[in-house]
């Protein structure tokens, strides 16, 4: 087998078009398959800076959550609506996992809430809302930064 055909075989196994040196559409699609649960488990809770987390759609539907963490459809809808108009959350508080939080920041990208020795950060991406909570000894700053950074990444990826 010639060197060029051996290289071509390697390229084919890796999904690379040898003529153009480009990754095939199949391989790109395979690489872009996402596991929302993996983002919750590894990129949020797995960092040790977020106690519990969820990823929900703009319609309030749950895409992935950490164990024992539930964002009801109504809580999700209220949160999604607050990115456009946070006056209701500011006056009544935000409910996350059936717990009321005082809203300390709300804009068209991020909503932060505080409750006793913990709180939450919710960040809107193009298609989803990431929610991370913290309980002392975890800190608001670390939780907020972790959720914001994952949101930045997902936005860059078109999500």
């Amino acid at each position: 087998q010639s060197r060029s055909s051996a290289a071509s075989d390697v390229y084919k196994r890796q999904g690379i078009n040898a003529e153009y040196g480009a990754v095939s559409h199949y391989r790109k699609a395979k690489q872009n398959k996402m596991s929302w649960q993996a983002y919750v488990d590894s990129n949020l809770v797995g960092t040790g800076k977020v106690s519990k987390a969820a990823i929900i759609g703009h319609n309030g539907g749950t895409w992935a959550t950490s164990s024992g963490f539930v964002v009801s459809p109504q809580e999700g809808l209220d949160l999604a609506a607050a990115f456009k108009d946070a006056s209701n959350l500011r006056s009544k508080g935000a409910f996350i996992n059936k717990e009321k939080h005082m809203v300390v920041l709300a804009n068209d990208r991020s909503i932060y809430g505080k409750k006793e020795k913990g709180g939450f950060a919710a960040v809107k991406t193009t298609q989803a809302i990431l929610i991370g909570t913290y309980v002392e000894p975890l800190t608001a700053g670390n939780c907020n930064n972790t959720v914001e950074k994952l949101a930045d990444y997902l936005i860059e990826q078109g999500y």
Side-chain angles (χ1 to χ4, degrees):
Q1 187 171 12
S2 73
R3 183 173 201 177
S4 64
S5 70
S8 179
D9 288 344
V10 170
Y11 286 148
K12 284 178 188 173
R13 283 196 306 272
Q14 294 177 351
I16 298 173
N17 181 327
E19 185 176 346
Y20 301 104
V23 177
S24 71
H25 291 292
Y26 169 77
R27 181 139 171 107
K28 279 186 181 177
K30 192 173 174 184
Q31 288 171 339
N32 287 335
K33 279 194 173 186
M34 304 188 59
S35 167
W36 297 111
Q37 192 62 50
Y39 284 121
V40 167
D41 296 340
S42 300
N43 298 82
L44 293 172
V45 178
T47 65
K49 296 175 182 178
V50 175
S51 300
K52 296 203 181 258
I55 299 176
I56 64 172
H58 291 180
N59 65 356
T62 301
W63 295 4
T65 65
S66 52
S67 179
F69 188 66
V70 177
V71 179
S72 75
Q74 189 60 54
E75 290 173 344
L77 285 171
D78 291 346
L79 197 58
F83 288 103
K84 291 182 181 175
D85 178 9
S87 59
N88 195 35
L89 285 189
R90 284 191 177 107
S91 65
K92 296 181 181 177
F95 285 84
I96 305 290
N97 198 37
K98 298 179 185 174
E99 296 180 352
K100 185 177 180 179
H101 295 77
M102 178 180 68
V103 173
V104 295
L105 175 120
N107 57 44
D108 62 352
R109 175 187 159 97
S110 305
I111 300 172
Y112 297 166
K114 181 87 174 109
K115 178 186 176 293
E116 297 168 12
K117 296 182 179 189
F120 77 92
V123 182
K124 182 179 174 185
T125 70
T126 308
Q127 298 179 24
I129 299 169
L130 310 181
I131 304 167
T133 66
Y134 65 93
V135 178
E136 289 181 359
L138 301 182
T139 66
N142 285 336
C143 176
N144 298 349
N145 287 337
T146 301
V147 177
E148 293 279 357
K149 284 180 184 176
L150 180 56
D152 288 341
Y153 171 77
L154 292 174
I155 290 167
E156 287 173 11
Q157 302 304 309
Y159 293 99

